[in-house]
Amino acid sequence: MYKKKKIEEHCGIMNTYDETTAFLGHWGRFQQIVFFLLCASTIPNGSGVLSIIFVAAIPSHHCLVPELNLTQDWLNVIIPIKVVNGKQELSKCSRYRLDVVRNLSAQALIPGRDINLTDLEQEGCLDGWSYSRDIYQSTIVSEFDLVCSEQWKQPFTSTLYFLGVLVGSFFSGQLSDSGLGQIGNYLSAFVLGTETLTGNVRVLFSSLGVCLCFAIGYMVLPLLAYFLRDWKSLLLAVALPGLLYIPLWWFITESPRWLLSQGRVEEAEAIVRNAARKNKVEAPRIIFQDYSTDGKSTWSKKEEHHTVFDLLKSHNIRATTLILCLVWFSQVTGYFGLSLKSLQLSADPYISCFISAAVEVPGYISSWLALRYFPRRPSASSAMLLGGVSLFFIQLVPQALPEVSVALEMLGKYSFTTSSSLMFAYTAELYPTVLRSTATGTCATFSRVGTCIAPFLLQLSVYNKYLPYIILGTLAVVSAFATLFLPESFEQPLPETFQQMHKRGRVKCPCNTRTETPEPAVLLESQL
């Protein structure tokens, strides 16, 4: 017995949380409640985060022409015709000078026959703009005239919106580590479910579960926007479901794994015993007696408080954090860049948005299969590489084949979706329990920097139609290669401490190697 204990302490493999709570099973009533309630809580997140797509949409518009005594011929041509991307359309920011047109109309001159329109002087929209209401009743663009010289405010508004998401991502990671709040519900739900569930159920939750429910909320968004074509009504509709989070306080328990990391053993045992009653299984008399995070101290001893600065405290953790921040930034920039551009896929923006959302479903299914059967590094790297290459190929497609460009764009969206889902689970598997929420929140914060610049990144198409695709593709390819330098976590238990995290990627402990001679116990005894 002494020899066995020394072996376990030397290898740092004293009973893990998954082993200690194995008597609960993987799919009892307790796990089912946690799984479905947390997944359902992420449905409003899909609608809320991406609602800016319709809130800041730009309706068709042109200069407002006040009521004047003009002939019908002049009313039909008072807005100049311009060629944009090979197509003729009404000018959005100019009109022919009203005083000149009024005089010409009073002289009964006919435009195009008596007057050459190209010789007429133009002026700006001095009386405001007229917005089409065929698709949107109102958006913030039509409400505040964010067009022409003020057009820069439209992507800036989206950036301000995503800055709020960025702040929420950072503080939700910090607060959920202390169990004090859920500013960013998606991150908190993801981490809580990842720590509470075990085995293949955890993989299913972190890929198909929360992610698919997020996609459902995304697919509901165009339906809400179609029936509520006013931006204020739409924001109210996507915000009210947040009230449904309140009852979760009584139905969702704190993570026992996190409580143990804080030395709150009695609370953790109470939750696990309650789970045992729900699952109709018998719990041991003492559940966490031999459970230790580092092979030296027991759970009865509270660990020191950890902050975001611990993500940079050692070379291994620092390198992992920097790579993950780069990967998250690249994939989320690509994801939101293509999502914000999704309204241009077809003539109907509501159908376009739904198609963009529906593409995520096979992406999440792919991520679940990858997490279930394949190592993390090549899976995440391949998904990012596929997304980058597909965006590079868009510039090679002839203009006569717009359908191919749309297909490549959706292939990129599929790839970024798959990669995002993979990296959520991958990140949670790399960091210890005491830092998992903080690490996820920090990586999400860097990713939100990408969402903040995505609206302005799309504006670069004014200078070069393919420039946004080139930038997004380059970021994806660089991140694909950077991912290969991360530790592997496939089929390994969640790390509980920094020591266990450091062992990722190192030579395995001799007791885990399959060898016939010498026996592991003999080998370790000689080393001790």
Side-chain angles (χ1 to χ4, degrees), residues 26-48:
H26 295 305
W27 192 238
R29 184 166 176 264
F30 170 75
Q31 288 91 346
Q32 293 169 5
I33 292 175
V34 172
F35 186 99
F36 290 111
L37 285 182
L38 287 180
C39 287
S41 74
T42 64
I43 294 178
N45 300 144
S47 301

Side-chain angles (χ1 to χ4, degrees), residues 34 43 61 70 74 82 92 100 143 167 171 180 187 229 257 259 298 308 347 377 410 415 439 461 503:
V34 172
I43 294 178
H61 58 277
L70 300 177
W74 281 105
K82 292 189 175 182
K92 294 182 172 67
V100 174
E143 182 89 9
V167 174
F171 284 104
L180 295 178
L187 290 177
R229 303 200 177 198
R257 194 188 300 263
L259 290 172
T298 63
V308 66
R377 281 184 299 192
M410 288 299 95
S415 301
S461 60
K503 291 175 183 177

Side-chain angles (χ1 to χ4, degrees), residues 75 90 125 184 220 244 259 262 278 346 371 391 433 436 496:
L75 286 174
L90 294 177
C125 300
V220 170
L244 299 177
L259 290 172
Q262 302 301 302
K278 290 180 179 179
S346 68
L371 289 169
L391 294 185
T433 301
R436 187 168 294 117
E496 306 293 348

Side-chain angles (χ1 to χ4, degrees), residues 145 211 250 286 301 363 435:
D145 289 333
C211 296
W250 290 274
I286 300 178
K301 180 180 178 181
L435 206 59

